Amino acid sequence: VAFFANSLILLSYRVFSQMAWCAGFGQKFWEGYRSLIPKDEGFLDRKPLYDAYHQLNHYNLFGGGYIGSAQSDLESLKKKLNAKEKS
């Protein structure tokens, strides 16, 4: 399976993940953001994948503990996918 997070279809999700993960925006900001770009069905299920993308980029650039966060998010996603397959 290949994942290219920079595709235009996923751009708003990639941007959301980067802003949520790296920046401390307040509640009013997120309300305004979501009024323009609402969450679609399944967004929260996919969010660990979007987060892992940025964590792997940071690991590639800076090393350190970012790899652990990415692995954790990907394992979480894997468990969700496995559970959906079984149901």
Side-chain angles (χ1 to χ4, degrees), residues 31-75:
E31 289 170 3
Y33 182 89
R34 285 294 170 210
S35 73
L36 297 172
I37 305 172
K39 292 179 191 173
D40 68 356
E41 186 177 332
F43 169 78
L44 293 177
D45 291 334
R46 295 185 311 272
K47 187 178 179 303
L49 183 60
Y50 307 136
D51 290 345
Y53 172 80
H54 297 293
Q55 293 158 353
L56 290 170
N57 281 336
H58 274 66
Y59 175 73
N60 190 37
L61 293 169
F62 310 115
Y66 295 104
I67 193 70
S69 297
Q71 287 173 327
S72 177
D73 279 339
L74 293 173
E75 284 295 325

